[in-house]
Amino acid sequence: MTASPANRALDHARDLHNQLIALASRPWMADTLAALARLTLAGIFWRSMLTKVETVRALAYTDTVNGHEVIRHHLRLPAFPLEMKPSTHTLFSQDYALPLLPPELAAWLATLAEFSLPIALVLGVFTRLSALALVGMTLVIQIFVYPEAWWSTHALWMTIALGLAAHGPGRFSLDTLLGARLGAPRSAA
C-alpha cells in the first residue's frame, strides 16, 4: 500500500523536525549559544560604560561621502586612566539618585562594573560570577533608575545573564580551558 500524499508530507515534516532537533542538540550548538550570549551581554554593558567615560576612537578608516572625505570609527575605547564625563556625575546625582550610596561612588562603581564585567564575559573568565553581578546591576537599574523598562529591555538582559549563570560559559571560554588544566589529575612522578 502506498501512503497518501498527506501522510508522506507528514512523515517528511516529522523527519525534518527530528533532524533539526538532532542538530540543535549537538554540544557545539550550546557552546556557540553561550559564546553569543556572553558577547551580547558584554556589548550591552560595554556600550553603556562608553557613555559614562571619555573615549578614544580606534580602528578608523576614511570614506568619501558626496565628494568629502569622512573619517569613520568602528571601535570606541575608554581613555586611560578612566576619566568620568561631567554628565555622568550629573546623572548619578540628579536622575539616578540611588539610596544608600553617594552619587560619586555609585557612578564609579557602575562604570567600573561596566568596564570589567564585559571584559570577563568576552574572555569567558569568571563567567557565572560576572553574569550574576550583572543580574544585580540590572535589578538596581530596574528598581531605582528605569522601572518602566522591564519588558522593553531589562527582561532580556536578565534572561541572558541568568542563562549564563545557570549554564556556564560553554567550551569556548577561559573558564573551561583553565578548569580543564587546573582540574586535570596530576600524573605520578
Side-chain angles (χ1 to χ4, degrees):
M1 251 205 200
T2 48
S4 71
N7 283 343
R8 283 196 307 269
L10 186 57
D11 287 342
H12 181 68
R14 193 175 297 121
D15 288 344
L16 181 60
H17 175 263
N18 290 337
Q19 289 173 5
L20 289 173
I21 294 297
L23 178 65
S25 300
R26 303 255 171 124
W28 65 265
M29 187 67 91
D31 295 329
T32 302
L33 180 60
L36 182 60
R38 291 188 348 248
L39 293 175
T40 300
L41 195 60
I44 290 167
F45 285 92
W46 184 262
R47 287 191 315 274
S48 178
M49 178 270 304
L50 289 176
T51 67
K52 293 176 178 68
V53 298
E54 298 297 336
T55 61
V56 295
R57 303 195 189 299
L59 298 177
Y61 71 94
T62 57
D63 194 7
T64 304
V65 177
N66 296 330
H68 300 285
E69 191 171 281
V70 177
I71 298 175
R72 307 256 189 213
H73 301 278
H74 279 294
L75 180 64
R76 285 180 36 218
L77 298 172
F80 287 100
L82 290 178
E83 183 180 335
M84 196 82 64
K85 290 180 180 177
S87 60
T88 302
H89 296 294
T90 303
L91 280 173
F92 276 85
S93 63
Q94 295 175 7
D95 295 348
Y96 298 168
L98 300 176
L100 306 175
L101 286 178
E104 181 80 13
L105 178 61
W108 275 107
L109 288 175
T111 302
L112 291 174
E114 289 176 339
F115 174 77
S116 59
L117 297 174
I119 291 171
L121 286 176
V122 167
L123 296 175
V125 65
F126 303 117
T127 303
R128 291 175 194 258
L129 182 62
S130 298
L132 287 174
L134 291 174
V135 165
M137 192 168 177
T138 301
L139 285 173
V140 169
I141 295 167
Q142 172 62 36
I143 294 167
F144 298 110
V145 182
Y146 295 118
E148 71 285 350
W150 177 253
W151 291 114
S152 63
T153 307
H154 301 146
L156 177 63
W157 299 358
M158 291 286 286
T159 302
I160 297 170
L162 288 171
L164 286 170
H167 298 288
R171 286 184 294 179
F172 311 133
S173 67
L174 285 177
D175 282 339
T176 301
L177 178 67
L178 294 173
R181 298 230 175 181
L182 297 175
R186 295 176 190 239
S187 59

